[in-house]
Amino acid sequence: MLDPDLLKTFVTLSEQRSFTRTAAQLNRTQSAVSMQVKRLEELLGTALFARTTSQVALTPSGEALLGYAHRILALNDEAVGRIRQHQNEGQVRLGIMDDYGTSIAPPLLASFGQRYPRIHVSMETGLTAKMTERLGEDFDLVIAMHPKGQGGGDFLRQEQAVWAAAPDHVVDAEAPLSVALYPSGCLFREWAMAALDKARRPWRLAFVSHSSAAVEAVVAQGLAVSVFKSGTFPRGLRALSKEDGMPRLPQAGIRLHRASALTEAGALLASHLIAGIRRDAGAANTR
């Protein structure tokens, strides 16, 4: 059996080509390094290093062993890391926007659960502006939307606010515009109202809901227009622009906020969400 500790010394010596430097790097004495090399050579029945007064060089047998040693040590590290991952446990409370909670988060939470089966995540969707005020009390992590360049936390991706209507819906420039929006406190609600008022476009609030799915359903029936994020824009709807008489809306930044006293389980989930959402945003930009 090849002892990983002996292989680690062997690999380090093959890189350093010096017993002195190897001993310093491994925090051992030179005699201990020499003894480990000798044990490995006795085990394999061959010399692994050719020693001269100026340096230490690999023999042909040493060169043959080196690739195997790297692979064995890498597999050892992978096994230890995987077992330690499965030992992590805890509870993480996540607050997130409704549309992200139904489209972006589920696959990321599924992959996180496979990697850390003993960490349990509870998720609440809704208006995240108020959730950030409850960090530490009710939430460990909150993914929230802010005006571009504001909000603090970890930046995840940028979103364009986009007007939406049913595919066959024709916006009547003369009639008051029926709008389906989210409750007070939603950034898109504020932006939509302010943009319509600035453009002096007559409108009426026809439908209000916390649920993005409910708003989408109303819009899909041609009963109203609404505002969605570019990254989660419903496939069955049509994006409206200035050609449809709609005023342009601002861009938003999606950011992750952490409780001040975050557990290791919470930090692991935060890192997983940051990597996944940024990767998804990058893939979307290349499509």
Side-chain angles (χ1 to χ4, degrees), residues 27 76 119 130 154 166 174 200 261 268 286:
N27 195 27
N76 179 82
I119 297 180
K130 297 180 179 179
D154 295 292
E174 302 299 327
R200 297 183 179 180
L268 289 170
T286 60

Side-chain angles (χ1 to χ4, degrees), residues 136-150:
E137 181 180 351
D138 298 313
F139 298 105
D140 302 300
L141 301 172
V142 171
I143 294 179
M145 180 173 65
H146 303 276
K148 182 180 177 181
Q150 302 179 27

Side-chain angles (χ1 to χ4, degrees), residues 204-224:
R204 70 182 187 90
L205 189 58
F207 185 82
V208 177
S209 176
H210 284 87
S211 169
S212 60
V215 172
E216 179 183 341
V218 168
V219 174
Q221 294 299 317
L223 301 175

Side-chain angles (χ1 to χ4, degrees), residues 88-89 164 182 215 220:
N88 285 294
E89 59 184 16
Y182 308 96
V215 172

